[in-house]
Amino acid sequence: ETLDTGPIILQKAMDIEAQETLGGLLGKLEALCEQVLLDTLRLFRSRDEVPAVPQDPAEATLAPQIKEEDLIIDFAKPTLDILRQIRACNPAYGAWSSLDGRAVKFFSASRVPGAVSLAPSGACFLHEGHFLIATGDGAIRPEVILLEDGGFYSADSLARLGLLIPGSRFGA
């Protein structure tokens, strides 16, 4: 099975920012693809023959299908891995974990430099007035969380509502 293994007629590069989400990347790719398509059509109109660079079929790869287990956050992993997973799943899937038997999806979070917890991975704790979740090597501050009720919240707002308390543990 192959995909996109034909000759390359026109190719453009783009930067992917460190904090890019799936949704942001798809928007940038849509704009870039539109421009490449228009440039390719102009190229075909202006020439009798268009140069094409063959691809080596042996180098072709297919991206693996995303499985449900790919979306589950393992808070024992390093902070940066968790943040990348959350961004990669935003907005289409939502990386998630469980809290008190309920699924909680994470759409945005940030690294908290200097926040070190002696709590186990996935445990919630307060640090400088903010609600954090312990990771394998530090902590994250959840910024946009989706609960099963369909509401979006920050960890701090969930704490004010009494839905998160220090010591609660995700994934347990």
Side-chain angles (χ1 to χ4, degrees):
E1 185 176 339
T2 62
L3 179 67
D4 292 336
T5 56
I8 299 170
I9 295 169
L10 188 63
Q11 186 175 32
K12 299 219 179 201
M14 65 175 256
D15 292 327
I16 299 175
E17 304 298 324
Q19 300 302 312
E20 198 82 65
T21 65
L22 172 64
L25 181 59
L26 289 175
K28 287 168 87 173
L29 284 170
E30 182 180 355
L32 182 65
C33 287
E34 181 180 320
Q35 188 58 52
V36 168
L37 179 60
L38 291 172
D39 290 348
T40 302
L41 291 172
R42 285 187 200 103
L43 188 61
F44 273 101
R45 284 190 194 139
S46 68
R47 298 182 176 189
D48 290 334
E49 193 172 312
V50 175
V53 178
Q55 297 188 69
D56 181 354
E59 296 290 319
T61 60
L62 289 175
Q65 188 74 18
I66 295 173
K67 298 183 235 68
E68 184 64 28
E69 58 263 23
D70 297 329
L71 307 176
I72 301 169
I73 299 171
D74 177 358
F75 285 101
K77 288 185 175 180
T79 301
L80 292 178
D81 289 354
I82 294 168
L83 294 175
R84 287 181 184 122
Q85 179 184 16
I86 290 169
R87 286 192 308 273
C89 296
N90 175 359
Y93 308 101
W96 70 277
S97 186
S98 61
L99 180 67
D100 298 328
R102 295 178 299 181
V104 178
K105 291 187 174 187
F106 293 77
F107 287 93
S108 179
S110 58
R111 182 176 170 270
V112 184
V116 178
S117 172
L118 299 177
S121 300
C124 300
F125 65 100
L126 286 171
H127 175 76
E128 296 180 0
H130 296 289
F131 216 82
L132 307 182
I133 302 172
T135 65
D137 64 355
I140 64 167
R141 179 178 177 198
E143 295 159 351
V144 180
I145 298 172
L146 174 66
L147 296 184
E148 289 177 330
D149 68 3
F152 286 93
Y153 305 89
S154 69
D156 293 340
S157 64
L158 289 177
R160 283 191 297 276
L161 293 169
L163 297 174
L164 281 181
I165 56 171
S168 342
R169 190 160 176 209
F170 281 93

